[in-house]
Amino acid sequence: QVQLVESGGGLVQAGGSLRLSCSASGSFLSLNTMGWYRQAPGKQRDLVASITRGGSINYAESVKGRFTISRDNTKNTVALQMNVLKPEDTAVYYCNANVKFNTFTTLDRWGQGTLVTVSS
């Protein structure tokens, strides 16, 4: 019983910036690791960046130095600031969260995705 909703996708030129946001709502005790993944047509869904509840961060090598992930534990949100965007960043971006529902149940949940298109 959790909903993850992304926002902030759109069309930008190469070299531009976008900020993606994801908000979690519903019935759960807490959010553990949260992350952003992306998927291009015909490709697998790959990790872009993740962040633990305590703030430990992991980035895909291809986005290091350009993207920044952050979270607000009091608001149950996670964001992805994307700078110096490249055409190869074009994909549907998905929010992911590992959710603790109760003492016995911890599961991964996904948002609906938001499209990012970078033109050259």
Side-chain angles (χ1 to χ4, degrees):
Q1 262 282 39
V2 64
Q3 295 79 46
L4 302 178
V5 180
E6 303 101 330
S7 63
L11 173 64
V12 298
Q13 289 189 307
S17 298
L18 284 174
R19 183 177 178 86
L20 306 183
S21 296
C22 173
S23 296
S25 61
S27 300
F28 55 88
L29 294 183
S30 64
L31 303 173
N32 300 312
T33 298
M34 304 183 75
W36 290 95
Y37 292 71
R38 65 188 181 187
Q39 186 170 27
K43 304 294 184 180
Q44 68 177 6
R45 188 173 299 184
D46 292 325
L47 175 71
V48 178
S50 65
I51 182 168
T52 68
R53 183 172 181 83
S56 181
I57 294 171
N58 183 46
Y59 292 105
E61 189 66 29
S62 60
V63 307
K64 286 182 178 177
R66 300 188 298 122
F67 292 10
T68 303
I69 190 172
S70 61
R71 67 187 289 169
D72 187 334
N73 291 335
T74 67
K75 298 180 179 179
N76 294 324
T77 60
V78 62
L80 185 70
Q81 179 66 46
M82 305 186 293
N83 299 324
V84 197
L85 283 161
K86 304 174 180 179
E88 51 262 45
D89 295 319
T90 295
V92 177
Y93 284 69
Y94 295 90
C95 177
N96 171 269
N98 184 257
V99 184
K100 183 177 182 179
F101 291 96
N102 53 54
T103 302
F104 313 103
T105 308
T106 302
L107 299 170
D108 272 16
R109 289 290 181 264
W110 296 88
Q112 82 287 349
T114 185
L115 178 62
V116 172
T117 303
V118 184
S119 65
S120 60

mmCIF file of all heavy atoms in Angstrom, residues 38 47-49 58-68 80-83 86 89 93:
data_model
loop_
_atom_site.group_PDB
_atom_site.id
_atom_site.type_symbol
_atom_site.label_atom_id
_atom_site.label_comp_id
_atom_site.label_asym_id
_atom_site.label_seq_id
_atom_site.Cartn_x
_atom_site.Cartn_y
_atom_site.Cartn_z
ATOM 1 N N ARG A 38 16.603 3.957 -15.143
ATOM 2 C CA ARG A 38 16.141 4.419 -16.443
ATOM 3 C C ARG A 38 16.125 3.274 -17.441
ATOM 4 O O ARG A 38 16.891 2.321 -17.338
ATOM 5 C CB ARG A 38 16.999 5.575 -16.967
ATOM 6 C CG ARG A 38 18.450 5.229 -17.270
ATOM 7 C CD ARG A 38 19.223 6.506 -17.600
ATOM 8 N NE ARG A 38 20.612 6.240 -17.929
ATOM 9 C CZ ARG A 38 21.530 7.190 -18.116
ATOM 10 N NH1 ARG A 38 21.190 8.471 -18.002
ATOM 11 N NH2 ARG A 38 22.777 6.860 -18.415
ATOM 12 N N LEU A 47 20.236 0.946 -13.082
ATOM 13 C CA LEU A 47 20.376 1.885 -11.976
ATOM 14 C C LEU A 47 21.077 3.151 -12.437
ATOM 15 O O LEU A 47 22.111 3.095 -13.102
ATOM 16 C CB LEU A 47 21.166 1.247 -10.837
ATOM 17 C CG LEU A 47 21.488 2.171 -9.661
ATOM 18 C CD1 LEU A 47 20.225 2.488 -8.868
ATOM 19 C CD2 LEU A 47 22.540 1.545 -8.753
ATOM 20 N N VAL A 48 20.527 4.293 -12.074
ATOM 21 C CA VAL A 48 21.162 5.588 -12.286
ATOM 22 C C VAL A 48 21.843 6.049 -11.006
ATOM 23 O O VAL A 48 23.015 6.429 -11.009
ATOM 24 C CB VAL A 48 20.145 6.647 -12.756
ATOM 25 C CG1 VAL A 48 20.820 8.006 -12.916
ATOM 26 C CG2 VAL A 48 19.491 6.209 -14.065
ATOM 27 N N ALA A 49 21.100 6.029 -9.910
ATOM 28 C CA ALA A 49 21.633 6.439 -8.617
ATOM 29 C C ALA A 49 20.748 5.899 -7.515
ATOM 30 O O ALA A 49 19.547 5.722 -7.709
ATOM 31 C CB ALA A 49 21.722 7.968 -8.513
ATOM 32 N N ASN A 58 25.160 5.872 -4.287
ATOM 33 C CA ASN A 58 25.809 5.115 -5.345
ATOM 34 C C ASN A 58 25.330 5.639 -6.698
ATOM 35 O O ASN A 58 24.130 5.788 -6.912
ATOM 36 C CB ASN A 58 25.486 3.628 -5.216
ATOM 37 C CG ASN A 58 26.191 2.787 -6.250
ATOM 38 O OD1 ASN A 58 27.378 2.948 -6.484
ATOM 39 N ND2 ASN A 58 25.462 1.868 -6.873
ATOM 40 N N TYR A 59 26.279 5.940 -7.623
ATOM 41 C CA TYR A 59 25.959 6.427 -8.956
ATOM 42 C C TYR A 59 26.457 5.469 -10.024
ATOM 43 O O TYR A 59 27.508 4.835 -9.865
ATOM 44 C CB TYR A 59 26.609 7.779 -9.235
ATOM 45 C CG TYR A 59 26.088 8.936 -8.432
ATOM 46 C CD1 TYR A 59 26.833 9.463 -7.380
ATOM 47 C CD2 TYR A 59 24.871 9.529 -8.736
ATOM 48 C CE1 TYR A 59 26.373 10.544 -6.651
ATOM 49 C CE2 TYR A 59 24.403 10.609 -8.008
ATOM 50 C CZ TYR A 59 25.157 11.114 -6.967
ATOM 51 O OH TYR A 59 24.691 12.191 -6.249
ATOM 52 N N ALA A 60 25.720 5.395 -11.118
ATOM 53 C CA ALA A 60 26.249 4.751 -12.305
ATOM 54 C C ALA A 60 27.436 5.562 -12.808
ATOM 55 O O ALA A 60 27.439 6.797 -12.726
ATOM 56 C CB ALA A 60 25.183 4.659 -13.391
ATOM 57 N N GLU A 61 28.446 4.885 -13.337
ATOM 58 C CA GLU A 61 29.649 5.567 -13.796
ATOM 59 C C GLU A 61 29.340 6.626 -14.850
ATOM 60 O O GLU A 61 29.972 7.683 -14.878
ATOM 61 C CB GLU A 61 30.653 4.557 -14.349
ATOM 62 C CG GLU A 61 32.018 5.149 -14.663
ATOM 63 C CD GLU A 61 32.753 5.614 -13.430
ATOM 64 O OE1 GLU A 61 32.530 5.033 -12.349
ATOM 65 O OE2 GLU A 61 33.558 6.560 -13.539
ATOM 66 N N SER A 62 28.357 6.374 -15.687
ATOM 67 C CA SER A 62 28.035 7.264 -16.789
ATOM 68 C C SER A 62 27.449 8.610 -16.356
ATOM 69 O O SER A 62 27.416 9.547 -17.153
ATOM 70 C CB SER A 62 27.062 6.585 -17.757
ATOM 71 O OG SER A 62 25.860 6.245 -17.105
ATOM 72 N N VAL A 63 26.993 8.713 -15.110
ATOM 73 C CA VAL A 63 26.377 9.957 -14.647
ATOM 74 C C VAL A 63 27.161 10.642 -13.540
ATOM 75 O O VAL A 63 26.781 11.738 -13.110
ATOM 76 C CB VAL A 63 24.924 9.734 -14.180
ATOM 77 C CG1 VAL A 63 24.116 9.031 -15.256
ATOM 78 C CG2 VAL A 63 24.881 8.959 -12.868
ATOM 79 N N LYS A 64 28.247 10.053 -13.093
ATOM 80 C CA LYS A 64 29.053 10.657 -12.035
ATOM 81 C C LYS A 64 29.557 12.033 -12.464
ATOM 82 O O LYS A 64 30.050 12.207 -13.569
ATOM 83 C CB LYS A 64 30.238 9.765 -11.677
ATOM 84 C CG LYS A 64 29.868 8.541 -10.871
ATOM 85 C CD LYS A 64 31.098 7.726 -10.500
ATOM 86 C CE LYS A 64 30.729 6.526 -9.652
ATOM 87 N NZ LYS A 64 31.912 5.683 -9.338
ATOM 88 N N GLY A 65 29.417 12.989 -11.569
ATOM 89 C CA GLY A 65 29.843 14.348 -11.854
ATOM 90 C C GLY A 65 28.795 15.195 -12.537
ATOM 91 O O GLY A 65 28.965 16.417 -12.632
ATOM 92 N N ARG A 66 27.719 14.577 -13.018
ATOM 93 C CA ARG A 66 26.657 15.307 -13.708
ATOM 94 C C ARG A 66 25.329 15.258 -12.954
ATOM 95 O O ARG A 66 24.584 16.232 -12.960
ATOM 96 C CB ARG A 66 26.448 14.757 -15.117
ATOM 97 C CG ARG A 66 27.676 14.860 -16.004
ATOM 98 C CD ARG A 66 27.350 14.477 -17.449
ATOM 99 N NE ARG A 66 26.901 13.091 -17.555
ATOM 100 C CZ ARG A 66 25.726 12.715 -18.051
ATOM 101 N NH1 ARG A 66 24.868 13.633 -18.493
ATOM 102 N NH2 ARG A 66 25.409 11.427 -18.127
ATOM 103 N N PHE A 67 25.020 14.118 -12.331
ATOM 104 C CA PHE A 67 23.752 13.936 -11.625
ATOM 105 C C PHE A 67 23.981 13.945 -10.121
ATOM 106 O O PHE A 67 25.030 13.511 -9.637
ATOM 107 C CB PHE A 67 23.106 12.602 -11.999
ATOM 108 C CG PHE A 67 22.608 12.503 -13.414
ATOM 109 C CD1 PHE A 67 22.897 13.466 -14.365
ATOM 110 C CD2 PHE A 67 21.832 11.410 -13.785
ATOM 111 C CE1 PHE A 67 22.432 13.362 -15.663
ATOM 112 C CE2 PHE A 67 21.357 11.293 -15.084
ATOM 113 C CZ PHE A 67 21.657 12.263 -16.023
ATOM 114 N N THR A 68 22.975 14.397 -9.380
ATOM 115 C CA THR A 68 23.027 14.399 -7.927
ATOM 116 C C THR A 68 21.709 13.888 -7.374
ATOM 117 O O THR A 68 20.647 14.416 -7.706
ATOM 118 C CB THR A 68 23.302 15.801 -7.368
ATOM 119 O OG1 THR A 68 24.520 16.317 -7.906
ATOM 120 C CG2 THR A 68 23.413 15.746 -5.842
ATOM 121 N N LEU A 80 16.370 13.853 -8.199
ATOM 122 C CA LEU A 80 17.544 13.644 -9.044
ATOM 123 C C LEU A 80 17.778 14.900 -9.861
ATOM 124 O O LEU A 80 16.989 15.223 -10.750
ATOM 125 C CB LEU A 80 17.344 12.442 -9.975
ATOM 126 C CG LEU A 80 18.558 12.048 -10.819
ATOM 127 C CD1 LEU A 80 19.655 11.460 -9.931
ATOM 128 C CD2 LEU A 80 18.160 11.046 -11.896
ATOM 129 N N GLN A 81 18.844 15.614 -9.539
ATOM 130 C CA GLN A 81 19.251 16.780 -10.310
ATOM 131 C C GLN A 81 20.161 16.313 -11.436
ATOM 132 O O GLN A 81 21.210 15.709 -11.184
ATOM 133 C CB GLN A 81 19.979 17.788 -9.428
ATOM 134 C CG GLN A 81 20.472 19.030 -10.154
ATOM 135 C CD GLN A 81 19.351 19.893 -10.669
ATOM 136 O OE1 GLN A 81 18.395 20.162 -9.934
ATOM 137 N NE2 GLN A 81 19.436 20.312 -11.922
ATOM 138 N N MET A 82 19.781 16.595 -12.668
ATOM 139 C CA MET A 82 20.515 16.141 -13.836
ATOM 140 C C MET A 82 21.063 17.346 -14.589
ATOM 141 O O MET A 82 20.300 18.169 -15.100
ATOM 142 C CB MET A 82 19.621 15.306 -14.757
ATOM 143 C CG MET A 82 18.953 14.130 -14.053
ATOM 144 S SD MET A 82 18.037 13.063 -15.191
ATOM 145 C CE MET A 82 16.736 14.197 -15.687
ATOM 146 N N ASN A 83 22.386 17.466 -14.658
ATOM 147 C CA ASN A 83 23.050 18.554 -15.346
ATOM 148 C C ASN A 83 23.872 18.027 -16.515
ATOM 149 O O ASN A 83 24.217 16.854 -16.575
ATOM 150 C CB ASN A 83 23.961 19.323 -14.388
ATOM 151 C CG ASN A 83 23.219 19.954 -13.236
ATOM 152 O OD1 ASN A 83 22.093 20.418 -13.394
ATOM 153 N ND2 ASN A 83 23.860 19.994 -12.072
ATOM 154 N N LYS A 86 23.016 14.647 -21.879
ATOM 155 C CA LYS A 86 23.481 14.153 -23.168
ATOM 156 C C LYS A 86 22.365 13.373 -23.857
ATOM 157 O O LYS A 86 21.487 12.839 -23.183
ATOM 158 C CB LYS A 86 24.699 13.241 -22.980
ATOM 159 C CG LYS A 86 25.849 13.876 -22.227
ATOM 160 C CD LYS A 86 26.949 12.855 -21.968
ATOM 161 C CE LYS A 86 28.108 13.479 -21.214
ATOM 162 N NZ LYS A 86 29.179 12.483 -20.945
ATOM 163 N N ASP A 89 21.286 10.112 -22.420
ATOM 164 C CA ASP A 89 20.505 10.097 -21.190
ATOM 165 C C ASP A 89 19.012 9.921 -21.461
ATOM 166 O O ASP A 89 18.238 9.739 -20.520
ATOM 167 C CB ASP A 89 20.712 11.385 -20.392
ATOM 168 C CG ASP A 89 22.134 11.546 -19.888
ATOM 169 O OD1 ASP A 89 22.724 10.538 -19.435
ATOM 170 O OD2 ASP A 89 22.654 12.669 -19.938
ATOM 171 N N TYR A 93 12.539 7.442 -16.859
ATOM 172 C CA TYR A 93 13.163 7.369 -15.547
ATOM 173 C C TYR A 93 12.134 6.928 -14.512
ATOM 174 O O TYR A 93 11.034 7.480 -14.436
ATOM 175 C CB TYR A 93 13.756 8.725 -15.159
ATOM 176 C CG TYR A 93 15.050 9.025 -15.874
ATOM 177 C CD1 TYR A 93 15.062 9.279 -17.250
ATOM 178 C CD2 TYR A 93 16.264 9.039 -15.190
ATOM 179 C CE1 TYR A 93 16.245 9.533 -17.917
ATOM 180 C CE2 TYR A 93 17.453 9.297 -15.856
ATOM 181 C CZ TYR A 93 17.443 9.542 -17.213
ATOM 182 O OH TYR A 93 18.617 9.800 -17.871
#
